[in-house]
């Protein structure tokens, strides 16, 4: 099968863990696959990836590179460093246009594009994100367990963190970055668990190469914290999904149990579909998407 033309059975937009997992499943089914990837994964600043068996503690880049090397051993899978900017439905599938002004044809499309974290306007936050400002205790909590820990959040998000993080540390402080927003029951629970609340506005995170040392507030008071949990806002890494009206009310690509979107022939997997942002979940959803796509193509051709 020639790989020289621009016609593919499946085009995968996004070549990190989920996209590569789907490509492996499809490559093992000898499907002609193109992966289009812009090379900007959301976890590129994270020093170590955890909670993924056989790869616990490796760098995210090392895991992705090993996966890419293995996937590209399948001769029907091709990878290009480019950015998809448009998808148009055609009579036989879809036309994808990239930033390099190259067009590709495909019968099926998989969005495995991840999400883009929107950093709050706090000096030092972005530089510490994924290093000492973290979002997931299952991914990063073991390495900082027992340490003095801040929760930079308010309301239900902060309350959930406070409840969950008891398994990792009892030394918690909530930073609401403004007026606290808890109901009476939540306030009573926080007080009974000796979790203080600071309502002052956070102005700066003092750090060395992303490793947090202290937090400055607008009242010129500084508190020492080596770690912060926070959940950032996000947007889709690729805006094509929004243009195609694929998003749900929470900003994720809506899919059914077989990774299908509301447009026939378009599928999605990984972080762009779920708040469960772990490597293991992402890999599993990609494998499932690859099998689902191949199954649908087999049924259509039978």
């Amino acid at each position: 099968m020639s790989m020289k033309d621009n016609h593919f059975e499946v085009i995968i937009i996004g070549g990190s863990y989920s996209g590569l997992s789907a490509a492996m499943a499809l490559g093992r089914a000898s499907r002609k696959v193109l992966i289009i990837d812009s090379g900007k994964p959301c976890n590129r600043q994270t020093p170590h990836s955890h909670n993924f068996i056989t790869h616990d503690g490796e760098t995210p880049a090392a895991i992705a590179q090993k996966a890419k090397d293995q996937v590209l051993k399948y001769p029907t899978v091709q990878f290009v460093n480019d950015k998809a900017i448009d998808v148009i439905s055609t009579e036989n599938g879809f036309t994808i246009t990239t930033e390099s002004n190259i067009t590709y044809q495909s019968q099926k499309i998989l969005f495995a594009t991840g999400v883009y974290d929107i950093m709050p306007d706090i000096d030092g936050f972005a530089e510490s994100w994924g290093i000492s400002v973290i979002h997931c205790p299952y991914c990063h909590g073991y390495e900082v367990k027992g340490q003095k820990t801040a929760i930079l959040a308010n309301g239900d998000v902060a309350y959930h963190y406070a409840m969950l993080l008891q398994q990792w540390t009892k030394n918690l402080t909530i930073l609401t970055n403004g007026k606290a927003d808890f109901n009476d029951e939540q306030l009573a629970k926080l007080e009974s668990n000796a979790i203080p609340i600071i309502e002052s506005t956070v102005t700066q995170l003092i750090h060395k190469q992303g490793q947090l040392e202290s937090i400055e507030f607008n009242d010129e008071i500084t508190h020492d914290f080596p770690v912060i949990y926070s959940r950032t806002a996000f947007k889709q890494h690729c805006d094509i999904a929004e243009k195609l009206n694929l998003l749900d009310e929470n900003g994720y690509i809506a899919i059914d149990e077989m990774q299908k979107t509301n447009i026939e022939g378009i599928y999605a997997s990984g972080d762009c579909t779920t708040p469960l942002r772990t490597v293991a979940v992402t890999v599993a959803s990609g494998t499932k998407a690859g099998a689902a796509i191949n199954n649908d193509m087999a049924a259509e051709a039978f």
Side-chain angles (χ1 to χ4, degrees):
M1 182 183 296
S2 172
M3 300 294 287
K4 293 180 181 179
D5 61 47
N6 286 1
H7 291 258
F8 296 87
E9 291 181 285
V10 183
I11 288 181
I12 298 171
I13 303 174
S16 192
Y17 311 116
S18 193
L20 290 169
S21 298
M24 178 170 280
L26 290 161
R28 291 182 61 79
S30 298
R31 294 292 183 186
K32 188 180 179 186
V33 177
L34 176 66
I35 305 165
I36 302 174
D37 184 71
S38 61
K40 294 181 179 179
C42 66
N43 63 356
R44 59 188 178 274
Q45 191 166 286
T46 304
H48 300 285
S49 180
H50 291 283
N51 205 30
F52 181 32
I53 56 171
T54 74
H55 293 285
D56 191 48
E58 289 190 40
T59 65
I63 299 172
Q65 187 59 54
K66 186 174 183 178
K68 182 180 175 183
D69 292 343
Q70 292 179 347
V71 168
L72 292 182
K73 288 179 180 177
Y74 292 92
T76 59
V77 180
Q78 189 173 345
F79 190 106
V80 295
N81 286 107
D82 207 342
K83 182 179 180 181
I85 59 172
D86 197 22
V87 171
I88 298 173
S89 295
T90 64
E91 188 175 337
N92 299 314
F94 304 92
T95 296
I96 295 90
T97 304
T98 71
E99 203 168 52
S100 301
N101 201 30
I102 300 172
T103 59
Y104 300 96
Q105 310 296 321
S106 179
Q107 296 175 45
K108 307 288 185 186
I109 289 177
L110 173 67
F111 282 100
T113 43
V115 293
Y116 175 80
D117 295 307
I118 301 170
M119 299 293 113
D121 188 21
I122 299 172
D123 187 26
F125 188 101
E127 294 84 352
S128 304
W129 179 242
I131 300 170
S132 58
V133 179
I134 55 181
H135 77 286
C136 173
Y138 300 104
C139 300
H140 308 291
Y142 188 85
E143 285 65 42
V144 295
K145 68 177 183 176
Q147 295 188 31
K148 184 180 179 183
T149 299
I151 298 168
L152 181 56
N154 205 347
D156 292 342
V157 173
Y159 184 80
H160 182 260
Y161 264 135
M163 178 270 298
L164 184 63
L165 291 174
Q166 295 295 303
Q167 188 61 24
W168 282 269
T169 183
K170 304 293 186 184
N171 194 346
L172 292 169
T173 300
I174 293 175
L175 314 179
T176 56
N177 202 27
K179 185 173 174 57
D181 182 22
F182 301 102
N183 61 40
D184 291 342
E185 183 181 350
Q186 289 173 332
L187 286 171
K189 274 284 190 182
L190 293 172
E191 186 176 348
S192 69
N193 283 281
I195 300 173
I197 299 169
I198 297 175
E199 295 181 300
S200 303
T201 301
V202 177
T203 56
Q204 185 177 7
L205 305 186
I206 309 299
H207 67 93
K208 285 185 179 177
Q209 296 183 319
Q211 183 53 60
L212 187 66
E213 294 182 342
S214 60
I215 301 173
E216 284 188 359
F217 296 86
N218 64 339
D219 53 11
E220 299 184 353
I221 294 175
T222 299
H223 291 270
D224 294 336
F225 287 101
V227 60
I228 292 175
Y229 281 89
S230 185
R231 185 185 301 173
T232 62
F234 74 93
K235 64 180 180 179
Q236 289 289 325
H237 204 272
C238 172
D239 62 5
I240 300 173
E242 186 173 4
K243 292 177 185 175
L244 295 175
N245 197 30
L246 299 179
L247 306 187
D248 65 18
E249 66 275 10
N250 297 313
Y252 296 102
I253 299 179
I255 53 170
D256 67 10
E257 68 279 0
M258 296 308 291
Q259 312 294 138
K260 295 181 182 182
T261 70
N262 57 27
I263 296 179
E264 187 68 28
I266 298 183
Y267 304 73
S269 64
D271 290 352
C272 61
T273 67
T274 176
L276 296 174
R277 293 173 62 181
T278 72
V279 176
V281 170
T282 298
V283 168
S285 69
T287 300
K288 186 178 179 182
I293 293 168
N294 183 68
N295 183 77
D296 289 346
M297 296 185 77
E300 289 163 10
F302 192 62

